[in-house]
């Protein structure tokens, strides 16, 4: 089976879907509203399952070349005392592959370089996804948490949900000896060394809906986290207003299906989740490969899309529910010794790989 496919969204999931469908024999066009690939962006953890997806797309070697291995990390309290250690070596022993750290721009560049230049159209926003169904055999919605393709299929029946959290993130010119997170009362702060003397950081705070935005994000971060241990303070000291992004955390009400007619959703368009398990990019890559595999294996497109939905919807919705639960745990305000014990048990069980 082959045909003409359009992928709306040229992010990680969209570029991966373009690669996978081309390998399955389809003519593919990727439409991306941004004018080009980003030059800056935060670090991503690529877990073994996602690296296997990149291998299936033929870009695993290039991503490994651009990445660095995650060597470990810990979860700490604000005073620096250790709650638990993240045993990344166990992941490699179990799955034969470490967790790799790569910047979003590097991953996108590797995916885009494997596609013919004419296959990706930058500066091409889509206002009417319905019109695409008249021109293409398959429409793939990979256009993120505010997906217009999802809205064209489901309308407003499955809205985004405020997760009760405001987050800040960025990259600073400061070296961190170790990655991991620090959990306080209703707050957390995360660090990921990305090499070259730089550190990817993120912070989150539980806040009710309708809260006012701070007048100065840097001052607010220093107020909230300025008395935490030296690794956190080192990052705070390096912050500049231009290097701080602030946003409310939202996830997607679970959908009853990721497909409708000749439309398939993947990545955040299908299962936008909170970032607490670090699985958003990973699951988008796995979605893309699963969609291509199902299209390749089936005799007709409806059967292929039904198979894709069976393969990915329940799995990703379980991970999304786990991410929401993990976020609530990390920002607990009460019974912190119980929280810490639950964390140690969860780490012993292991995250999705």
């Amino acid at each position: 089976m082959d045909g003409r496919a359009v992928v709306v969204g040229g992010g990680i999931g969209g570029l991966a879907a373009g690669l996978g469908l081309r390998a399955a024999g389809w003519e593919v066009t990727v439409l991306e509203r941004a004018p080009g690939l980003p030059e800056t962006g935060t670090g991503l953890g690529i877990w073994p399952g996602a690296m296997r997806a990149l291998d299936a797309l033929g870009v695993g070697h290039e991503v490994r070349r651009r990445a660095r291995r995650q060597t470990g990390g810990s979860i700490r309290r604000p005073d620096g005392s250790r709650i638990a250690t993240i045993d990344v070596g166990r992941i490699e022993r179990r799955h034969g592959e470490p967790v790799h750290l790569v910047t979003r721009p590097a991953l996108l560049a590797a995916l885009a370089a494997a596609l013919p230049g004419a296959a990706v159209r930058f500066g091409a926003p889509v206002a009417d996804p319905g019109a695409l169904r008249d021109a293409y055999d398959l429409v793939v919605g990979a256009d993120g948490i505010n997906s217009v393709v999802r809205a064209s299929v489901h309308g407003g029946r499955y809205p985004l949900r405020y997760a009760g959290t405001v987050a800040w993130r960025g990259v600073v010119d400061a070296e961190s000896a170790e990655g991991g997170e620090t959990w306080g009362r209703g707050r957390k702060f995360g660090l990921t060394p990305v090499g070259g003397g730089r550190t990817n950081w993120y912070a989150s705070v539980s806040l009710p809906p309708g809260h006012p935005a701070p007048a100065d994000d840097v001052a607010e971060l220093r107020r909230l986290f300025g008395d935490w241990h030296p690794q956190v303070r080192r990052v705070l000291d390096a912050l500049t207003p231009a290097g701080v992004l602030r946003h409310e955390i939202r996830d997607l009400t679970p959908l009853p299906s990721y497909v409708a007619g000749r439309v398939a959703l993947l990545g955040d368009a299908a299962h936008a989740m909170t970032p607490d398990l670090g699985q958003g990019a990973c699951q988008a890559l796995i979605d893309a490969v699963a969609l291509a595999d199902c299209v390749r294996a089936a005799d007709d497109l409806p059967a292929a899309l039904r198979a894709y939905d069976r393969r990915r919807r329940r799995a990703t919705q379980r991970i999304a529910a786990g991410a929401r639960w993990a976020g609530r745990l990390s920002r607990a305000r009460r019974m912190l010794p119980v929280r810490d014990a639950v964390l140690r048990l969860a780490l012993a069980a292991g995250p999705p790989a």
Side-chain angles (χ1 to χ4, degrees):
M1 180 178 60
D2 58 15
R4 299 179 68 237
V6 61
V7 180
V8 182
I12 292 167
L15 294 177
L19 276 175
L21 290 169
R22 276 183 56 84
W26 284 60
E27 178 187 337
V28 181
T29 300
V30 179
L31 303 178
E32 168 53 42
R33 65 181 179 180
L37 292 173
E39 296 181 358
T40 61
T42 56
L44 301 169
I46 304 299
W47 293 78
M51 188 56 76
R52 288 192 294 271
L54 290 167
D55 286 335
L57 296 171
V59 296
H61 174 76
E62 178 62 16
V63 173
R64 289 184 184 89
R65 188 186 70 80
R66 295 168 178 259
R68 60 197 295 259
R69 292 186 173 207
Q70 183 173 339
T71 56
S74 60
I75 310 296
R76 296 181 181 272
R77 300 179 184 89
D79 63 3
S81 61
R82 194 183 303 266
I83 301 172
T85 298
I86 303 169
D87 185 0
V88 295
R90 186 184 62 173
I91 296 170
E92 183 169 4
R93 292 190 298 272
R94 181 181 297 177
H95 299 280
E97 182 81 47
V99 178
H100 289 84
L101 300 175
V102 64
T103 65
R104 185 178 294 273
L107 177 56
L108 287 168
L111 291 166
L115 282 164
V120 184
R121 299 181 189 171
F122 291 104
V126 173
D128 181 11
L132 297 175
R133 294 197 285 271
D134 298 330
Y136 294 91
D137 302 301
L138 170 62
V139 178
V140 179
D143 50 338
I145 189 169
N146 295 306
S147 170
V148 297
V149 179
R150 184 182 68 241
S152 75
V153 172
H154 292 294
R157 293 189 298 277
Y158 305 97
L160 299 176
R161 307 176 297 187
Y162 176 52
T165 307
V166 172
W168 295 261
R169 59 186 172 89
V171 181
V172 294
D173 292 319
E175 188 73 59
S176 291
E178 181 186 62
E181 294 184 345
T182 303
W183 292 11
R185 192 180 299 273
R187 292 174 272 169
K188 74 175 177 181
F189 201 100
L191 302 170
T192 306
V194 293
R198 311 194 80 202
T199 297
N200 178 71
W201 65 272
Y202 52 93
S204 62
V205 179
S206 295
L207 289 171
H211 57 277
D216 184 328
D217 285 311
V218 172
E220 180 70 358
L221 287 164
R222 289 172 178 162
R223 182 186 72 81
L224 290 167
F225 302 100
D227 59 349
W228 286 23
H229 60 81
Q231 276 190 292
V232 172
R233 294 200 302 272
R234 190 175 302 117
V235 169
L236 294 175
D237 289 344
L239 292 182
T240 62
V244 176
L245 298 174
R246 177 188 182 276
H247 49 97
E248 294 182 339
I249 298 296
R250 301 181 185 275
D251 65 359
L252 181 62
T253 302
L255 300 178
S257 178
Y258 289 176
V259 303
R262 293 180 288 108
V263 177
L265 303 173
L266 61 78
D268 281 353
H271 48 71
M273 59 188 72
T274 69
D276 299 281
L277 293 181
Q279 283 288 318
C282 293
Q283 296 306 311
L285 290 167
I286 297 170
D287 286 348
V289 171
L291 177 62
D293 286 348
C294 292
V295 165
R296 184 185 292 110
D299 294 329
D300 61 80
L301 187 59
L305 297 188
R306 288 194 299 270
Y308 164 70
D309 185 62
R310 287 193 302 271
R311 185 165 159 182
R312 293 301 297 154
R313 179 161 48 90
R314 290 185 179 179
T316 51
Q317 288 177 349
R318 281 195 299 269
I319 293 171
R324 193 176 180 91
W325 175 85
R328 289 173 176 168
L329 179 70
S330 69
R331 291 179 296 275
R333 295 180 180 274
R334 297 180 296 172
M335 302 177 68
L336 300 192
V338 174
R339 176 202 69 180
D340 296 349
V342 171
L343 168 65
R344 288 189 285 269
L345 288 172
L347 288 177

